[in-house]
């Protein structure tokens, strides 16, 4: 079964609304969670890295006020796309890393966001 | 320059045939190297993970090899099936710089009947 649960799998929203995506590690404590964005037939693009209890580190060009990341516990991280616009439409994927030597690295199943 | 280069970028193979995907990396020292399979519209799924001291790791019809001296890894798919059509991604974890994973752009495999 999945060790990282990501919800929702698909969301359609109107322009200007905010969308929250959840990422949960189910059977291990994730000290680090990563958020990616992926366009069709493109590779994963890292948006931000978050460690439990501290502020997320955003990649260059990613607006931190636009993509709010919260990693309040060792099993849950959320990505909120604020005031979404059609150009935010994309496939968003989280991954969680943990274990004694960070050997565990699993991905969520992804969220397809469509902004109308 | 990307720290992880994968080749070929894409390939088409006949069902039942074998294929080998390549991953060359410059990350050094590294902690581990992983191969993932990503179906269209889904998140990547782990196939294998190898530490720097391991040479090979199998998972069913998937066999990964690692040569830490030449900084090369390969993923061999045996007796391909239509369900093997996917993108295969090589990910290298550096020994230092704990958070920074290095991703390849993926090998796009299409298996045709």
């Amino acid at each position: 079964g999945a060790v990282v649960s990501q919800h929702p799998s698909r969301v359609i929203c109107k322009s200007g609304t905010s969308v929250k995506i959840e990422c949960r590690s189910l059977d291990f404590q994730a000290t680090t969670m990563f958020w990616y964005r992926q366009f069709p037939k493109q590779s994963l693009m890292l948006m931000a890295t978050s460690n439990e209890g501290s502020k997320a580190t955003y990649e260059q060009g990613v607006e931190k006020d636009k993509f709010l990341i919260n990693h309040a516990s060792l099993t849950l991280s959320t990505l909120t796309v604020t005031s979404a616009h059609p150009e935010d439409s994309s496939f968003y994927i989280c991954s969680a890393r943990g274990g004694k030597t960070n050997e565990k690295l699993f991905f969520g199943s992804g969220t397809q966001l469509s902004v109308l | 320059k990307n720290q992880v280069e994968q080749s070929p970028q894409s390939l088409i193979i006949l069902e039942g045939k074998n294929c080998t995907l390549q991953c060359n990396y410059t990350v050094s020292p590294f902690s581990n190297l992983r191969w993932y399979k990503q179906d269209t519209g889904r998140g990547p799924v782990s196939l294998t993970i190898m530490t720097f001291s391991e040479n090979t790791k199998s998972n069913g019809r998937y066999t990964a090899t690692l040569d830490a001296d030449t900084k090369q890894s390969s993923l061999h798919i045996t007796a391909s099936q239509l369900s093997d059509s996917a993108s295969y991604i090589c990910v290298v974890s550096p020994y230092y710089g704990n958070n920074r994973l290095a991703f390849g752009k993926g090998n796009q495999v299409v298996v045709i009947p």
Side-chain angles (χ1 to χ4, degrees):
Chain A
V3 294
V4 174
S5 175
Q6 184 175 343
H7 291 282
S9 58
R10 180 178 295 273
V11 60
I12 301 172
C13 69
K14 292 182 178 179
S15 185
T17 60
S18 294
V19 175
K20 180 185 282 188
I21 304 170
E22 285 193 353
C23 181
R24 293 179 184 274
S25 59
L26 299 181
D27 58 1
F28 69 99
Q29 293 184 326
T31 50
T32 306
M33 286 194 174
F34 305 88
W35 287 95
Y36 302 88
R37 186 172 180 175
Q38 187 176 36
F39 294 104
K41 298 186 179 180
Q42 300 287 317
S43 59
L44 294 164
M45 291 169 34
L46 180 65
M47 298 175 64
T49 302
S50 74
N51 293 302
E52 184 266 340
S54 60
K55 289 184 179 180
T57 301
Y58 289 81
E59 294 300 298
Q60 190 173 10
V62 178
E63 300 175 56
K64 58 182 67 176
D65 295 330
K66 174 75 170 175
F67 299 99
L68 300 178
I69 291 172
N70 183 280
H71 190 170
S73 76
L74 285 171
T75 60
L76 174 64
S77 177
T78 61
L79 167 67
T80 301
V81 183
T82 61
S83 187
H85 290 284
E87 58 266 29
D88 298 325
S89 297
S90 186
F91 191 58
Y92 293 87
I93 304 175
C94 71
S95 70
R97 183 169 68 184
K100 291 182 180 178
T101 59
N102 279 335
E103 74 280 9
K104 297 179 188 292
L105 177 66
F106 296 99
F107 288 82
S109 55
T111 298
Q112 183 63 53
L113 171 63
S114 299
V115 184
L116 305 179
Chain B
K1 184 171 165 50
N2 198 17
Q3 291 183 297
V4 179
E5 298 284 352
Q6 291 187 242
S7 61
Q9 184 177 6
S10 63
L11 77 161
I12 299 172
I13 58 174
L14 289 174
E15 185 180 11
K17 297 295 184 181
N18 305 333
C19 72
T20 300
L21 313 175
Q22 296 292 338
C23 172
N24 296 341
Y25 60 94
T26 58
V27 179
S28 182
F30 75 99
S31 176
N32 54 65
L33 184 148
R34 310 165 196 260
W35 282 93
Y36 290 86
K37 177 188 179 189
Q38 185 180 21
D39 293 311
T40 301
R42 305 289 296 175
V45 174
S46 180
L47 294 177
T48 62
I49 175 173
M50 292 179 288
T51 65
F52 61 88
S53 62
E54 295 179 289
N55 299 121
T56 186
K57 185 69 70 77
S58 290
N59 179 359
R61 295 180 296 102
Y62 300 103
T63 299
T65 64
L66 174 63
D67 186 334
D69 292 331
T70 61
K71 297 185 175 59
Q72 295 179 325
S73 176
S74 66
L75 181 69
H76 187 75
I77 305 175
T78 303
S80 61
Q81 300 176 359
L82 297 179
S83 59
D84 292 331
S85 296
S87 178
Y88 293 85
I89 305 169
C90 176
V91 181
V92 183
S93 299
Y95 190 82
Y96 302 110
N98 202 28
N99 282 338
R100 180 64 66 177
L101 301 170
F103 280 76
K105 294 186 176 181
N107 306 100
Q108 187 66 45
V109 174
V110 176
V111 181
I112 58 175

